[in-house]
Amino acid sequence: MPSYYEMSLESKREYVCQNNFSVAETPLGSWLVIFLDVDWGAQIEKTEHLREERICALSKISWKREKQEKQWKVEYGQRVASWYYGLKAELSEKHPLLKILVEQQIRNQLINVNMTDEELQYMGVLDGTREYGTEILISHMRLQKWLGCVEEIFVQLQKYQKDLACFLDQVMGDDAGKRGDILHRYAELHYKDWKYRGWVENNYQALSPRFHLSCNYKLYDYTGIAGPVPAGQNLEGHVYMVTNSLVALTVWEFDMVCSQEVFLRRCTYCNRYFQPYSVISCYCDRPVEGKEGKTCKDIGAMSKHQQKVSQDEAKKLYRRVCNRTQMAAHRRKEQHPDILRRYNQVQLYGKELLEQVEEGTITFEEFQEKFDKKPGELLGVK
C-alpha cells in the first residue's frame, strides 16, 4: 500500500488532507515549527531499545523451552504494539502530517502482499479493530525488521531537521522581519549554499500537483459517486502537492514561507522556533518543563521584570557605594595624595560591573558581592 501526503499552501494558510478525508487548516509555517520541535533522537533511541531487547532476551532463552519462547514472543509483540500506541499518541496530537506519518508510512512498513493470519490480526491490534492486549504470536524477526525500517525513517528526518534549522537561521536572522529582508537572505542562501540547492533539487522531484474540492473541511468527491453538493454549501478548491516524502513537503513549505515572507523567530527563553504574534513578540506559548501551568511567555516576562528590578537595584547600590567612598576619599586626601585617582578607578570598576548586570552576564547578588564593600577596602587604604 503506497504512503503519501497531500498539502496545499495558499494565502499564508496550510491545508493538509488527512486519512479520514478531512482537511486540517493552520497558519503557513506551522509544519516547519512542529517538525523542528520533534525530538527525533529520542524516537531513534526508543526503537533501538526495542530491537536490542529482542536480541538480549532471546539469547537467554533455551530453544528447547518452547513454551517460554512462545510466551516471550507474545509479550514482545505486545510491547512493540504499546510502543506504537505511544508513538501515535505523542506525534499525532502535534500536527496532521505527523499523524499521517504514523498511521500511514510507519504502519505500512509492516505490510506485505503475503501476510500471514497472525500478521493480519496484529495489524488489527495496531489499527484498533482488535482489542489491545490480544495474545498474537507474530514473528519477532518481522517486528525487528519493521523497527529497523522505522528507525531509518527517523534518522532521515533527524538529518533534515538539522539542515532545516541551519537554513532557517540563515534566512530569518535576528531582526524583526522587515519586508524584503527574508527574501534577500533567501536569495543569498540559494546563491551561495550548494547544500541547500541539492536539498531542493532532490526533493522537488517527489512532488506532483493534484486539485481537490472541499466542503466544510471535508474533501468532496466530484466524480459523481457522492452525489451533488447540497445547495447553499460553500465549496473551496485548492491545488495540493502529493508526495510519498515528508521531507519534500518540508522543503516546499520552507520555500513558500520565504517567498511570502512569513517571519519565524527563536524564543528568547527556550530557543525554539515559533510564529510570533507581532514583531516585538520574543517568547512562545510552549509549557515549561518543571513549571506547572507556566509557559515560556510567562517565565520570560517574569525574567524580564526581574532583570529590570536587578538593574534598578544595582544602580541604586552603585550610587550609594560611590557616595560613601567619595566622602571617605576626601577625608583622607592629606594622608593619601593619590586617593582621588583611586576613587576614579573605583567608579570605573563599578560602571563595568553595572554594565554586566544590564547585559545579564552577572546577577544583582554577584554585583553586590563584588562592589558593596567598605570604602577603605575599595580604595586600598586603611
Side-chain angles (χ1 to χ4, degrees), residues 189-201:
L189 173 69
H190 227 297
Y191 176 69
K192 293 183 177 180
D193 199 315
W194 63 267
K195 188 174 184 178
Y196 175 72
R197 291 199 298 273
W199 207 56
V200 171
E201 291 169 8

Side-chain angles (χ1 to χ4, degrees), residues 180-230:
D181 288 350
I182 292 175
L183 271 176
H184 276 90
R185 286 195 288 261
Y186 173 75
E188 188 174 0
L189 173 69
H190 227 297
Y191 176 69
K192 293 183 177 180
D193 199 315
W194 63 267
K195 188 174 184 178
Y196 175 72
R197 291 199 298 273
W199 207 56
V200 171
E201 291 169 8
N202 293 334
N203 284 285
Y204 262 81
Q205 297 175 31
L207 297 171
S208 58
R210 181 181 297 174
F211 181 77
H212 280 310
L213 287 174
S214 58
C215 180
N216 297 326
Y217 294 99
K218 282 284 186 181
L219 290 183
Y220 170 65
D221 186 351
Y222 50 86
T223 60
I225 299 174
V229 179

